[in-house]
Amino acid sequence: MAETANRAKSEFLSSMSHELRTPMNAIIGFAQMLEYDSGLSADQQDNVHEILSASRHLLDLINEVLDLSRIESGRIELSLETADIATVVDDCRHLIEPLAAPLAITLSTCVPAGATVHADRVRLKQALLNLLSNAVKYNRARGSIRLAVEQRRSEAGLRQRISVTDTGIGIAHDRLSEVFQPFTRLQTENSEIEGTGIGLTITKRLIELMGGVIGAESEVGVGSCFWIDLPAGTVARPGDDAADSDGTRDEKLQASDEQRVLCIDDNPSNLKLMAQILGRHGNLRLLTAHAPQLGIELALAHRPHLILLDINMPGMDGYEVLAVLQRDPLTSRTPVIAITANALARDIERGRAAGFLDYITKPIDVAAFLRVVEETLETQRSPRSE
Ligand code: ADP
């Protein structure tokens, strides 16, 4: 139900945004033509500028809502690969410097040579541009911005932290988490700063889809630091156990034996999302089934180490699939994790009682999801030797 409603909302937003773009383009186009009309009085020219600036703002808003609804409904293509951070940062620098220069804001970057992340380059650039343009917009004249990259080791493996620190107006502590909510704009009551209040919402969603985390620290009147943690890039490919460029290796990727994860879900975009999230594991093979019966057949044929099972599927729901798997000695001991939009406590209770090892609710929190998958696979590794 919730899933259907969510999909309907995203589809509505996306088709509405499409519908709005056509007339907006006409308004902007014709207003621009008026701009060239030498017969206009000074007042009329001012009015045309007002129309243009409001329409451009509205178009930005429409584009961002469209982007957000695409991201939320899982309809974006992420191409996760090892990306050189310095190259992406250089691209951003060229786009941001023209915005910073008129305010005499300096931009310095410190990116260790060879530092890489596992991410979609285009979307990483989009996220960094959002943080950098905010660091310009909410800075003070003659202020500064520093972008730094630092390697960290967390329980989820090797990570790169990209931080953007500014010397701007800052954000009050108790309002810091609000900035990642859609349409939140804090200092705009009497401010001229342009914006839609969706940029950070989109950035957060994108970073999470790429298996990362975003956060911020700030002090009013001193400045803000927004940071992104992403998995470090790796040269490991399925069957390839080469080390990272710095000679270290992600511990979770070290085991050479391939582990198979089967995902059974009737929604193709969820399967695509799974493929993208789990694709970053060099020694993990994802099998997918878009129909329950096919899922059972694949489970019996390939004996996966973990099964991710959607609950709401046509024909046969997740509970019925689980019962079949539990009855067959080939799969009776395979851990099965439910992935579903049914997030009510009683659904979770029912799921656990039925024998699901864990219950993950949509929209998926990628970092938490990866942790559960890794932990489950870890427990599967030792007793099973094939
Ligand atoms: P926009 O900048 O379009 O309003 P964002 O989603 O990017 O939207 O940011 C949301 C709000 O968070 C901004 O309106 C601003 O109030 C606050 N904010 C974001 N970045 C900073 C920053 N570097 N310093 C101070 N405030 C910021």
Side-chain angles (χ1 to χ4, degrees), residues 57 64 130-139 164-171 175-176 178-188 193-203 218 223-226:
H57 176 72
E64 290 194 345
N130 174 232
L131 298 189
L132 287 166
S133 67
N134 281 349
V136 173
K137 286 195 303 186
Y138 305 105
N139 215 318
V164 175
T165 310
D166 65 53
T167 53
I169 52 183
I171 302 162
R175 307 208 63 187
L176 208 48
E178 282 175 48
V179 298
F180 298 106
Q181 304 294 326
F183 305 109
T184 304
R185 305 209 65 212
L186 300 180
Q187 319 79 355
T188 44
I193 305 169
E194 278 195 14
T196 56
I198 315 183
L200 283 174
T201 313
I202 293 180
T203 297
S218 188
S224 311
C225 170
F226 282 79

Side-chain angles (χ1 to χ4, degrees), residues 30-42 44-45 48:
F30 288 112
Q32 277 176 322
M33 291 184 67
L34 267 184
E35 244 188 339
Y36 294 112
D37 189 335
S38 51
L40 292 189
S41 69
Q44 285 171 324
Q45 274 173 12
V48 172

Side-chain angles (χ1 to χ4, degrees), residues 133-154:
S133 67
N134 281 349
V136 173
K137 286 195 303 186
Y138 305 105
N139 215 318
R140 57 179 164 80
R142 320 197 82 77
S144 66
I145 301 170
R146 180 175 164 76
L147 183 150
V149 176
E150 182 199 340
Q151 187 168 289
R152 303 178 148 228
R153 187 167 282 281
S154 78

Side-chain angles (χ1 to χ4, degrees), residues 79-93:
S79 150
L80 296 178
E81 56 193 336
T82 291
D84 180 54
I85 304 176
T87 313
V88 179
V89 167
D90 265 357
D91 283 356
C92 294
R93 192 186 239 286

Side-chain angles (χ1 to χ4, degrees), residues 116-307:
T116 58
V117 278
H118 193 77
D120 179 301
R121 274 167 229 264
V122 175
R123 295 302 189 164
L124 173 62
K125 185 168 151 190
Q126 180 181 357
L128 289 180
L129 282 174
N130 174 232
L131 298 189
L132 287 166
S133 67
N134 281 349
V136 173
K137 286 195 303 186
Y138 305 105
N139 215 318
R140 57 179 164 80
R142 320 197 82 77
S144 66
I145 301 170
R146 180 175 164 76
L147 183 150
V149 176
E150 182 199 340
Q151 187 168 289
R152 303 178 148 228
R153 187 167 282 281
S154 78
E155 46 189 83
L158 209 57
R159 305 230 137 197
Q160 297 281 6
R161 171 165 294 195
I162 309 177
S163 57
V164 175
T165 310
D166 65 53
T167 53
I169 52 183
I171 302 162
H173 269 270
D174 55 334
R175 307 208 63 187
L176 208 48
S177 59
E178 282 175 48
V179 298
F180 298 106
Q181 304 294 326
F183 305 109
T184 304
R185 305 209 65 212
L186 300 180
Q187 319 79 355
T188 44
E189 288 78 17
N190 42 20
S191 146
E192 306 269 277
I193 305 169
E194 278 195 14
T196 56
I198 315 183
L200 283 174
T201 313
I202 293 180
T203 297
K204 182 169 192 287
R205 301 272 208 283
L206 286 175
I207 295 301
E208 287 172 351
L209 279 178
M210 296 193 284
V213 182
I214 187 169
E217 284 119 40
S218 188
E219 201 171 323
V220 174
V222 176
S224 311
C225 170
F226 282 79
W227 51 261
I228 290 170
D229 278 356
L230 279 168
T234 166
V235 290
R237 292 280 172 275
D240 168 13
D241 65 353
D244 273 352
S245 50
D246 63 357
T248 61
R249 211 183 283 181
D250 188 329
E251 281 144 14
K252 301 275 181 198
L253 297 174
Q254 220 165 355
S256 57
D257 52 326
E258 175 191 83
Q259 291 197 296
R260 295 177 294 282
V261 176
L262 169 64
C263 182
I264 309 173
D265 194 321
D266 64 310
N267 183 331
S269 63
N270 286 341
L271 289 180
K272 207 185 273 178
L273 180 63
M274 285 295 152
Q276 281 167 11
I277 297 175
L278 297 175
R280 75 187 192 91
H281 288 263
N283 62 340
L284 200 154
R285 183 149 75 97
L286 180 69
L287 305 158
T288 57
H290 62 275
Q293 197 55 48
L294 175 65
I296 294 169
E297 282 164 26
L298 285 180
L300 295 173
H302 294 277
R303 309 258 332 264
H305 298 79
L306 168 64
I307 297 176

